[in-house]
Amino acid sequence: MRGTACEAARETVCEGADGEEALDIFAQRCPSRVMFAELVDKWSMLILMSLAACGPQRFSELQRAVGGVSRKMLTQSLRTLERDGLVRRTVYPETPPRVVYGLLPLGAELAELLAPLGRWTEQHTEQMIAARKAFDQAHTDG
Amino acid sequence: MRGTACEAARETVCEGADGEEALDIFAQRCPSRVMFAELVDKWSMLILMSLAACGPQRFSELQRAVGGVSRKMLTQSLRTLERDGLVRRTVYPETPPRVVYGLLPLGAELAELLAPLGRWTEQHTEQMIAARKAFDQAHTDG
DNA sequence: CCGAATCCTACATGATACTG
DNA sequence: CAGTATCATGTAGGATTCGG
């Protein structure tokens, strides 16, 4: 509930001197907000969901699984996920090299929250498109 | 589970001629993917979460609640949410004008999936920052 | 096969000023 | 108060090329 007073001082520097629990994604400069902004990235979320649904995958498998992702964005997103402790990168020194990405516990936890979001989107896409169409028609008389 | 074969043809045009259930956020050109990419927007998600946590709010209240959002982005995000049937905009023709935004059922549903995501982020921010620090140190010898 | 490094463009976003 | 319009710009992200 974000505390008792929703309209209260939200400009708290997000980390009180003594009180804990001060991390707040609604606070502009809070580390939580920064992390949140990074996590709610299209590619990162799809990657996590794919790894959760299909298990560890190679780079090229992931690129095929996540439709439309470029090598650059895939690499970049995987790096960030690895850096934050969500994904583990394993290199098998063969020739040609084989690299496998898998979820760490932290990433698996997060992926469990993401899956419902993905399902919900698929199940309500038509409804939202219909709403959009209605909205656009109602505003045709501009 | 994304069907049985995870490595199967993901390039399905996302909408079979007869079969339903074809909406797939992993498919590049699927309407679901487009919607998904729109929904996982930093500002939109924070707005939905704020409305869910604090109830209907005025424009300026929302701007204060969602730290760092500009009027432009707030307006733009609210328009999209309204267009997609997630948020309702109510104008009270007073002077000065009063405009209140509230969740429609569809938006409330989605917000329920978003709240855990926000909490999880706040609860694991420190852990991710620690992982990041460790990662960066391990790669200092580059 | 798995990336890193460059280059380059379009769009997202902020800043600012104006309106009803 | 609640926007809209315009301009400026940074950067996300695609295309391409090179390396291990």
Side-chain angles (χ1 to χ4, degrees), chain B residues 5-120:
Chain B
C6 266
E7 301 155 328
R10 191 138 298 289
E11 34 280 335
T12 59
V13 196
C14 168
E15 183 186 7
D18 51 311
E20 299 303 327
E21 317 280 327
L23 292 176
D24 181 6
I25 56 170
F26 289 95
Q28 183 176 8
R29 288 161 32 192
C30 181
S32 280
R33 156 65 75 84
V34 179
M35 286 308 310
F36 181 78
E38 275 195 23
L39 291 179
V40 295
D41 170 70
K42 179 178 53 173
W43 299 131
S44 299
M45 294 180 80
L46 288 172
I47 289 168
L48 289 176
M49 286 190 273
S50 182
L51 291 177
C54 304
Q57 289 168 69
R58 306 180 57 169
F59 185 87
S60 49
E61 285 174 336
L62 270 174
Q63 188 170 18
R64 259 173 285 127
V66 180
V69 70
S70 65
R71 269 174 304 176
K72 177 176 177 178
M73 291 317 295
L74 184 55
T75 300
Q76 184 173 308
S77 302
L78 282 169
R79 273 290 169 283
T80 303
L81 292 173
E82 187 193 0
R83 212 164 85 101
D84 292 343
L86 302 173
V87 159
R88 176 192 23 155
R89 177 177 184 265
T90 311
V91 183
Y92 297 93
E94 313 167 354
T95 54
R98 191 161 58 97
V99 182
V100 175
Y101 294 90
L103 290 180
L104 289 171
L106 208 57
E109 254 185 70
L110 179 56
E112 280 184 37
L113 303 180
L114 264 35
L117 192 58
R119 278 196 299 274
W120 188 92

Side-chain angles (χ1 to χ4, degrees), chain A residues 57-61 89-92 96-101:
Chain A
Q57 288 168 66
R58 306 181 56 172
F59 185 86
S60 49
E61 286 174 334
R89 177 176 184 266
T90 311
V91 185
Y92 297 93
R98 190 162 58 96
V99 181
V100 174
Y101 294 90

Side-chain angles (χ1 to χ4, degrees), chain A residues 57-77:
Chain A
Q57 288 168 66
R58 306 181 56 172
F59 185 86
S60 49
E61 286 174 334
L62 270 174
Q63 188 170 19
R64 260 173 284 127
V66 179
V69 69
S70 66
R71 268 175 305 174
K72 176 178 176 176
M73 291 317 294
L74 185 55
T75 301
Q76 184 173 306
S77 301

